[in-house]
């Protein structure tokens, strides 16, 4: 088992990275994010603290993605860096969904990014786009590019 000090240092590093990603997604340098040794996500504006459940839907989505990305960047093998996202822009306004798409597609440490979405925010940065639809009850996959 890792000592509490090692765990604490690792969690602080992940929290720092998550905060940078969170602020970049939201475009708000005043609202900060922390992830603590109890694995709780909290947002802060000055001295005011809000727990995860008190955040808006968009803030919750941005916070969740930020912590997951930070965990991926700090904890995964550099040879296997795949990110799977399912409807990552849910509850985000237009500005924040574009910021999220920009941030995620600029991550250089990832080998592959798979996004499952009804949203077109990721279209401009996509190398391969596969559209799924139902035709008479049968799922059809169509390669767009």
């Amino acid at each position: 088992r890792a000592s509490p000090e090692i765990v604490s240092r690792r969690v602080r590093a992940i929290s720092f990275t998550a905060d940078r990603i969170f602020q970049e997604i939201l475009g708000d340098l005043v609202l900060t994010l922390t992830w603590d040794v109890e694995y709780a996500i909290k947002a802060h504006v000055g001295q005011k603290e809000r727990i995860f459940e008190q955040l808006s839907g968009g803030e919750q989505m941005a916070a969740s993605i930020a912590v997951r990305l930070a965990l991926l960047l700090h904890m995964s093998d550099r040879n296997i860096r795949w990110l799977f996202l399912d409807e990552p822009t849910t509850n985000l306004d237009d500005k924040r969904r574009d910021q999220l798409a920009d941030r995620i597609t600029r991550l250089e440490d990832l080998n592959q990014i798979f996004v499952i979405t009804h949203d077109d925010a990721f279209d401009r940065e996509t190398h391969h786009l596969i559209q799924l639809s139902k035709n008479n009850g049968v799922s059809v996959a169509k390669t767009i590019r």
Side-chain angles (χ1 to χ4, degrees), residues 13 51 61 65 95 126 142:
I51 61 173
M61 181 63 74
I65 290 172
K95 179 182 175 186
T126 304
K142 177 182 174 185

Side-chain angles (χ1 to χ4, degrees), residues 17-84:
T17 301
D19 179 46
R20 285 194 348 254
I21 295 168
F22 180 70
Q23 289 180 338
E24 213 171 312
I25 291 170
L26 294 181
D28 184 352
L29 299 178
V30 175
L31 186 62
T32 62
L33 180 83
T34 58
W35 188 64
D36 63 29
V37 294
E38 299 295 321
Y39 311 119
I41 296 173
K42 297 175 184 169
H44 307 267
V45 175
Q47 297 298 317
K48 185 176 178 188
E49 177 180 276
R50 292 187 291 157
I51 61 173
F52 184 80
E53 292 78 12
Q54 294 172 322
L55 301 176
S56 71
E59 290 168 338
Q60 286 181 352
M61 181 63 74
S64 296
I65 290 172
V67 169
R68 288 186 177 123
L69 282 173
L71 281 164
L72 177 71
L73 294 172
H74 283 269
M75 304 293 288
S76 71
D77 182 331
R78 292 210 180 269
N79 296 320
I80 305 173
R81 292 252 173 127
W82 294 6
L83 177 64
F84 290 85

Side-chain angles (χ1 to χ4, degrees), residues 60-116:
Q60 286 181 352
M61 181 63 74
S64 296
I65 290 172
V67 169
R68 288 186 177 123
L69 282 173
L71 281 164
L72 177 71
L73 294 172
H74 283 269
M75 304 293 288
S76 71
D77 182 331
R78 292 210 180 269
N79 296 320
I80 305 173
R81 292 252 173 127
W82 294 6
L83 177 64
F84 290 85
L85 297 171
D86 184 11
E87 297 294 350
T89 57
T90 300
N91 297 319
L92 296 177
D93 60 30
D94 289 344
K95 179 182 175 186
R96 289 180 174 170
R97 73 186 184 101
D98 287 339
Q99 288 169 328
L100 172 66
D102 288 343
R103 175 63 172 117
I104 288 172
T105 56
R106 283 188 286 117
L107 286 172
E108 295 175 3
D109 292 331
L110 295 176
N111 296 337
Q112 290 288 324
I113 303 169
F114 298 88
V115 181
I116 301 161

Side-chain angles (χ1 to χ4, degrees), residues 124-139:
R124 66 185 173 277
E125 298 293 331
T126 304
H127 297 284
H128 302 286
L129 181 62
I130 300 169
Q131 182 181 50
L132 300 176
S133 60
K134 286 253 187 206
N135 189 359
N136 296 324
V138 177
S139 295

